[in-house]
Amino acid sequence: MTLFRDISGWREELNELQKGSAYKNMYPKSIRNPQFDPLVPKSTVLDFVETLLAHEETRKALLDLNRWHKANPPETNPDPENDRTFPHKAANLQSDFSHWFMLKTGFGPRIGPYIHALNLTVLILNGDIPDARSAEADDYLHRTAKTEIDFDC
């Protein structure tokens, strides 16, 4: 289980991981076909969700982004880059934290499962799904990420 209860120093660790072998192994300089990237184990996706839920900083960032997206649905053609109300810090935190988790655990470089994990976390925070290890969470992942997650792990 890779649930990180203590994430202090994660930003500094991300900088170090990006300079080291974990990054080089996950993102080799040679051209690769993403379809051959290994599937992310379901247990890792759920650990990521539980890590996000365990920390106020990550919960707040996800909720801030979710509120903005609800107020600015895609059909209104929102432009986050030029919208002063867009929570850029929350978006950067979400992106950096996801990247840190992927490098820290070594389960990447597929980003899809982590995006589904972020969405699942928001569903849990909003009370739409009871928790990460529930049947509803499993159903959600099967519906949205069945080709990106290894459900046997």
Side-chain angles (χ1 to χ4, degrees):
M1 184 162 132
T2 313
L3 171 60
F4 297 103
R5 300 236 180 253
D6 180 8
I7 60 168
S8 57
W10 73 266
R11 288 175 179 85
E12 296 78 12
E13 188 173 23
L14 173 59
N15 288 331
E16 291 303 312
L17 287 167
Q18 288 174 326
K19 296 174 192 170
S21 62
Y23 186 87
K24 290 174 187 156
N25 290 337
M26 197 173 291
Y27 302 102
K29 290 189 180 199
S30 60
I31 295 174
R32 67 182 215 300
N33 186 337
Q35 80 180 30
F36 297 125
D37 291 341
L39 297 178
V40 176
K42 179 179 133 185
S43 59
T44 300
V45 172
L46 297 178
D47 290 346
F48 181 53
V49 170
E50 290 176 334
T51 298
L52 291 165
L53 290 169
H55 302 285
E56 179 62 29
E57 176 183 32
T58 52
R59 288 191 310 265
K60 182 180 178 329
L62 289 173
L63 289 173
D64 287 351
L65 281 164
N66 181 251
R67 273 190 290 279
W68 187 88
H69 284 291
K70 279 185 177 178
N72 300 279
E75 58 272 8
T76 65
N77 296 317
D79 182 8
E81 292 301 317
N82 295 309
D83 184 340
R84 62 178 176 74
T85 66
F86 182 76
H88 290 284
K89 287 184 182 177
N92 291 338
L93 184 142
Q94 174 186 292
S95 175
D96 290 348
F97 194 82
S98 299
H99 199 200
W100 169 77
F101 191 91
M102 289 169 61
L103 289 169
K104 181 89 171 158
T105 61
F107 289 109
R110 282 183 187 260
I111 191 67
Y114 295 95
I115 291 170
H116 295 294
L118 293 165
N119 293 334
L120 175 57
T121 304
V122 170
L123 290 169
I124 293 168
L125 289 169
N126 287 334
D128 299 323
I129 291 180
D131 64 65
R133 309 264 175 193
S134 66
E136 294 88 344
D138 196 55
D139 289 344
Y140 171 80
L141 291 175
H142 271 91
R143 275 194 329 269
T144 62
K146 63 183 168 196
T147 62
E148 300 173 280
I149 294 175
D150 183 348
F151 287 92
D152 295 328
C153 293

